[in-house]
Amino acid sequence: MNKDGAHVVFYRTLETKDKKQPVLAILLTKRTQDAPSDVGDWGLVGGTMDRGETPRKTVLREINEELCYRTRPLQVSRLLKVKNGTHTVHFFQAPLPEDMDTLKLKRNRKGKVEGEGIGWFTQEEAFCLRLRPQDIPAVQRFFSTFR
């Protein structure tokens, strides 16, 4: 069974109160209490690669499966590849200028929503959350490249 995966760091700028200095934020979803791992953690959109699937195709499929996102073509670029024991997780980054009212978590084929919450978080906010351990290197790399 293939345990390789692909995840995406979605990002956008958020307006601030003084409107002078926008703040960079990433999109995170909260894992359900009955998730197979990392219960209740916040993490990136993504999942396990299907047999014969490329990392890029996996991340695009997972975006649709988890967020119902088909509004416009995404410019997904590679961010990081992490080897974890016997499997590899590919991380991508992509701008996503959508407001919260246009995003929603999608129900899977069994009628279950794949997360308990979704939100945009600044660097400071993200690192105050309990992040999914395998996503931490990608979140750190992302914010370090946008300084």
Side-chain angles (χ1 to χ4, degrees):
M1 184 168 135
N2 186 9
K3 295 272 187 178
D4 290 351
H7 301 262
V8 63
V9 178
F10 280 126
Y11 63 92
R12 68 171 292 192
T13 54
L14 303 176
E15 294 296 324
T16 59
K17 186 177 176 180
D18 63 12
K19 304 233 188 250
K20 292 180 184 174
Q21 191 71 287
V23 177
L24 190 64
I26 62 171
L27 186 73
L28 296 171
T29 63
K30 187 173 183 184
R31 295 179 59 82
T32 60
Q33 295 301 308
D34 62 349
S37 65
D38 308 308
V39 170
D41 287 357
W42 287 86
L44 302 171
V45 172
T48 304
M49 292 172 59
D50 288 343
R51 174 176 270 160
E53 198 172 43
T54 66
R56 184 177 299 275
K57 284 196 187 254
T58 299
V59 83
L60 293 173
R61 175 181 51 79
E62 289 288 342
I63 290 165
N64 181 46
E65 286 179 6
E66 292 183 28
L67 294 178
C68 309
Y69 188 80
R70 290 187 184 140
T71 306
R72 64 183 82 155
L74 290 169
Q75 296 179 336
V76 178
S77 60
R78 288 192 181 275
L79 175 65
L80 177 68
K81 180 167 75 171
V82 176
K83 281 229 64 54
N84 187 359
T86 60
H87 64 278
T88 302
V89 180
H90 303 265
F91 292 96
F92 295 85
Q93 62 186 22
L96 188 69
E98 309 298 325
D99 289 326
M100 283 306 303
D101 63 338
T102 64
L103 296 172
K104 68 176 184 174
L105 295 170
K106 182 177 178 181
R107 291 191 182 279
N108 65 21
R109 289 179 211 116
K110 297 176 183 173
K112 182 178 182 278
V113 177
E114 295 218 12
E116 290 184 352
I118 184 171
W120 289 107
F121 297 92
T122 65
Q123 179 177 5
E124 294 78 19
E125 292 167 336
F127 287 110
C128 288
L129 299 171
R130 194 174 80 207
L131 292 176
R132 188 168 180 229
Q134 80 175 41
D135 291 339
I136 292 172
V139 173
Q140 289 172 329
R141 169 72 63 89
F142 173 79
F143 280 116
S144 73
T145 60
F146 276 93
R147 289 188 187 264

